[in-house]
């Protein structure tokens, strides 16, 4: 499989980013809400990741690292990179075949065990985050295939995340606090990690987290909108 940068794509992206920067500048001058959301920093982060995605040698290196982390794994397949044919504008890798993970009926018709597949997905995610501290950060359905044997296949490695020991400890403690509904610990963890302004009152943050989280715990997962939860939590 050969991935090639489209000619002129850098200039097109630069124009789009410039428009986003202008919009962010205007938002920050409209009012307090615009400044609170820090749109300028959001656009800067977005631009940084776009730069990484335009370097196909970087993507090839990411793929190679993830493949090495899951070498011999029965859960996840990652294409092999053919380094002799790669450059910053061209990436050549092993051709992978499978069914998009969103095509559930097709997977069932192939005999794939869907509950087992779901459990494997969770295990893959936690292995990347907590064992390796190196994870695929763009795993939408278009980047995930499933083989007829029920193995995941990862594609598109332009955006990867890394976590240090402190980050992993914070996430683990936060997950446990959420699942146990210990909202005070969630609030203090967010403060300690710098996710909220340092002058935030712990009791007020705890109350807001409780208001957002309590209604979702008794609902089936399919009824929970992550976007709605995040909007409520950070409003």
């Amino acid at each position: 499989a050969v991935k090639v940068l489209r000619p002129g794509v850098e200039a097109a992206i630069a124009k789009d980013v410039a428009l986003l920067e202008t919009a962010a500048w205007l938002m920050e001058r409209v009012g307090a809400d615009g400044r609170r959301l820090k749109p300028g920093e959001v656009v800067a982060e977005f631009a940084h990741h776009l730069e990484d995605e335009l370097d196909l040698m970087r993507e090839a290196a990411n793929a190679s690292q993830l493949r090495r982390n899951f070498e011999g794994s029965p859960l996840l397949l990652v294409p092999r990179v053919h380094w002799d044919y790669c450059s910053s504008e061209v990436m050549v890798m092993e051709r992978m075949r499978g069914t998009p993970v969103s095509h559930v009926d097709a997977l069932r018709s192939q005999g794939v065990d869907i509950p087992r597949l779901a459990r494997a997905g969770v295990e893959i995610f936690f292995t990347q985050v907590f064992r390796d501290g190196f994870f695929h950060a763009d795993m939408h359905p278009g980047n995930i295939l499933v083989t007829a044997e029920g193995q995941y296949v990862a594609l598109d490695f332009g955006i990867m995340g890394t976590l240090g020991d402190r980050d992993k400890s914070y996430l683990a403690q936060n997950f446990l606090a959420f699942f146990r509904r210990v909202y005070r610990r969630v609030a203090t963890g967010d403060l300690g990690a710098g996710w909220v302004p340092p002058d935030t009152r712990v009791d007020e943050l705890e109350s807001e987290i409780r208001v957002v989280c309590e209604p979702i715990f008794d609902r089936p997962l399919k009824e929970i909108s992550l976007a709605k939860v995040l909007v409520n939590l950070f409003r």
Side-chain angles (χ1 to χ4, degrees):
V2 181
K3 185 173 184 177
V4 182
L5 283 189
R6 185 172 299 188
V9 68
E10 296 96 335
I13 288 177
K15 290 180 181 178
D16 291 342
V17 170
L19 287 173
L20 288 173
E21 289 172 342
T22 301
W25 182 86
L26 290 172
M27 283 183 63
E28 289 177 349
R29 279 151 184 79
V30 166
D33 281 341
R35 291 189 293 274
R36 178 176 64 84
L37 295 173
K38 301 179 181 179
E41 293 183 24
V42 173
V43 173
E45 183 75 8
F46 185 61
H48 170 72
H49 287 295
L50 280 174
E51 289 178 7
D52 288 349
E53 285 199 271
L54 291 174
D55 183 353
L56 296 187
M57 280 295 286
R58 183 185 299 275
E59 179 174 345
N62 290 339
S64 181
Q65 175 70 61
L66 189 64
R67 177 182 171 86
R68 186 162 62 253
N69 290 350
F70 282 86
E71 192 73 41
S73 169
L75 303 179
L76 180 66
L77 297 174
V78 179
R80 183 185 303 277
V81 175
H82 298 293
W83 288 107
D84 290 344
Y85 307 103
C86 292
S87 70
S88 61
E89 296 181 344
V90 178
M91 177 180 173
V92 182
M93 71 199 101
E94 177 184 2
R95 178 68 179 268
M96 309 299 285
R97 302 184 185 277
T99 301
V101 70
S102 57
H103 296 185
V104 178
D105 290 339
L107 293 173
R108 286 198 179 102
S109 70
Q110 296 170 25
V112 174
D113 186 335
I114 301 300
R116 179 177 175 275
L117 188 67
R119 291 192 295 271
V122 174
E123 183 176 341
I124 290 169
F125 170 75
F126 280 106
T127 299
Q128 290 182 77
V129 170
F130 292 109
R131 186 193 70 182
D132 304 325
F134 182 77
F135 60 94
H136 197 303
D138 193 23
M139 295 203 80
H140 59 76
N143 288 342
I144 310 173
L145 304 179
V146 178
T147 69
E149 295 73 33
Q151 280 183 293
Y152 282 97
V153 178
L155 302 173
D156 194 345
F157 312 94
I159 304 178
M160 305 294 290
T162 57
L163 294 170
D165 289 340
R166 181 180 178 185
D167 295 323
K168 289 189 282 187
S169 175
Y170 160 71
L171 284 175
Q173 292 180 45
N174 227 21
F175 277 137
L176 288 173
F178 266 118
F179 295 147
R180 294 171 179 171
R181 307 191 194 188
V182 185
Y183 302 121
R184 169 68 60 146
R185 187 174 299 172
V186 176
T188 56
D190 288 348
L191 277 167
W195 277 43
V196 294
D199 59 347
T200 302
R201 285 183 50 176
V202 174
D203 58 332
E204 291 181 351
L205 180 58
E206 177 188 2
S207 177
E208 289 298 319
I209 295 171
R210 181 181 296 107
V211 169
V212 172
C213 293
E214 277 299 310
I216 72 174
F217 275 109
D218 294 326
R219 294 183 185 178
L221 188 60
K222 64 181 180 181
E223 295 180 7
I224 299 174
S225 167
L226 178 59
K228 185 176 181 180
V229 171
L230 291 175
V231 167
N232 288 336
L233 191 57
F234 294 104
R235 70 181 186 273

